[in-house]
Amino acid sequence: MASLRRSSTTGTAGNGRLQPRLSRLTMVALTFAILNTWIALAGSIGLVLPSGGSVAFLYGFIFCVLCNLALAASLGELAAIWPTAGGQYHFVYALCTDKWKKSMSFWVGWTNIAGWLTLVTTEGFFCAQFIQAAAVIASNGTYQIKQWATYLIFLAVLTFTTGANIWGNRILGRWNDAALYWSVLSVIVISIVLLATSDKNDAHFVFADFQNETNWPDGLAWILGLLQSALSLIGFDAALHMTEEMPSPAIDAPRAILYAVGVGGVTGVVFVLVILFCITDPETVLGTATKMPITELIFRATGNRAAATILTLALAICFVNGTNGCVTSTSRLLYAMARDKGVVYHDFFAHITPGLDVPVRTIMLTFVFNALFGLLYLGPSVAFGAYISSCTIFLNVSYVFPIVALLIRGRGVLKEWQSKQTPFALGKSGWVLNWVAAIFVIVTSVFFTFPPTLPASSTNMNYVTAVIGIFLILIGTYWILYGKTFEGPKFDLIMGHQYADENAPVASKEGSSTGPDEKAKQSE
């Protein structure tokens, strides 16, 4: 059973250490800043409405919220036992048998890393696109959006948030608290403005209108429309990767991810209703020169360029905060994988800079990766679109793997680590929540590889499978060549205590983690 309170994570000679300075509110704030649920939904109007209309937009989102709550609760239960920065891949290591724990943990870890790296890109480009949209509105249409300009704005946002993560760690908690207040205030203000100034649709359009322009069967079209709702709820595992900087991670991490999904669900439902009531001219709003329908919707409602510009920049700030949180979470996950010797030059990257108390090297690795892969935006739109879309699949797959491992092994295995003092346990409801989460992720992940419309062509084909294929080849090659160096987590060192049972790791003389088969060998 993990200690409920933690001192700073143990450092080594020449290394700094992660400081436990992040409260539960801060973790809810950081996670919600990454989700930016209500804004992500606003940016997906043009993709959801043709694939199910209002029915898909409203009820599809509510369905996703409920399933993600089951997903968050399932992961939260595991985080209450193993509150470490590795999150999902550490859960898999703990739950799998000796034969599979290293390989499965490695693959889940890199799937999670791939999702977070692409999510940094997604958040950063959302910010850049909102800034570009504000420029179009402010200039009365004389400013023309250019791809290279959008990339440079993205690079500026990425640089700023990278610097903030390196030198602003001491104010990280207050920054994220402010980000939560800013986002909630923004959704309230923009909702009031739209409801007060816009013409309105009738209730039938909002609650019962169904349209299918995809040529897929209606049921499948509705499922495909879930992709955008799923994307708006992606990233709640940020709290899991920050547990080593939380004073009471076993208590706070499970609640933080549930609260973040809950806040995202409430603000998302409210804003979806506002959008559906106010979008009286969908063709004009979706065909806007700003490339951001919510900006055009605000301008059409208010008729005021200054107001539309200011509110659009408020949305951009939300994504600056989101990018900042993504860089933070990604760097901690990469640091955890390097500490477990699962990356090249692992000794170099498994380093906390003294004085700054952050993994500067993995923060810079995150910066370099995104600066390079962001260049995809300058190429064909289908390539960049596939790259961005892959983050939903990568992250969801990383969420479901430990749940599937738990279902295969049987929930009874958790009794070895849980007690009456365990701060978060699902009890009898665990089976239902685990199965709901697993089925949701597996089914939607398969359908999200389908092209959005028929007939499929080179311009509308869903190339996310190509991204996944490249990922499998690269990580598979790394595993074949260097997989033997991966050790997996040393739970006793990370969490400051030892634990042991027939399937859990214990510290060996060298400090590596060993399971029951290895223990048997040592005893011979």
Side-chain angles (χ1 to χ4, degrees), residues 252-411:
D252 292 341
R255 288 163 175 78
I257 59 178
L258 279 169
Y259 294 165
V261 174
V263 174
V266 172
T267 55
V269 169
V270 169
F271 205 60
V272 166
L273 289 172
V274 170
I275 291 172
L276 291 177
F277 271 112
C278 297
I279 187 168
T280 56
D281 187 4
E283 291 186 5
T284 301
V285 170
L286 299 179
T288 175
T290 67
K291 305 294 180 67
M292 302 304 289
I294 186 59
T295 297
E296 186 68 23
L297 183 60
I298 294 171
F299 175 62
R300 292 284 171 180
T302 62
N304 188 307
R305 293 191 180 278
T309 300
I310 291 171
L311 292 177
T312 300
L313 290 175
L315 299 177
I317 292 173
C318 289
F319 279 104
V320 171
N321 296 329
T323 306
N324 184 69
C326 284
V327 173
T328 304
S329 182
T330 306
S331 65
R332 290 350 183 237
L333 180 56
L334 281 166
Y335 163 74
M337 182 60 87
R339 184 176 58 190
D340 297 337
K341 299 185 179 181
V343 302
V344 292
Y345 305 112
H346 46 78
D347 290 335
F348 176 79
F349 288 113
H351 179 265
I352 303 295
T353 302
L356 295 175
D357 298 323
V358 294
V360 172
R361 296 170 184 175
T362 55
I363 291 173
M364 289 305 303
L365 178 60
T366 302
F367 171 85
V368 171
F369 178 92
N370 278 275
L372 294 176
F373 275 78
L375 292 170
L376 287 172
Y377 186 77
L378 303 179
S381 59
V382 291
F384 185 75
Y387 170 76
I388 293 299
S389 298
S390 68
C391 78
T392 303
I393 295 178
F394 282 135
L395 287 176
N396 270 335
V397 168
S398 77
Y399 298 163
V400 81
F401 252 95
I403 299 171
V404 170
L406 178 60
L407 290 172
I408 292 174
R409 295 294 308 279
R411 286 185 53 80

Side-chain angles (χ1 to χ4, degrees), residues 124-142:
F125 269 101
F126 258 125
C127 178
Q129 288 167 337
F130 273 117
I131 293 174
Q132 290 275 63
V136 172
I137 292 293
S139 68
N140 195 18
T142 59

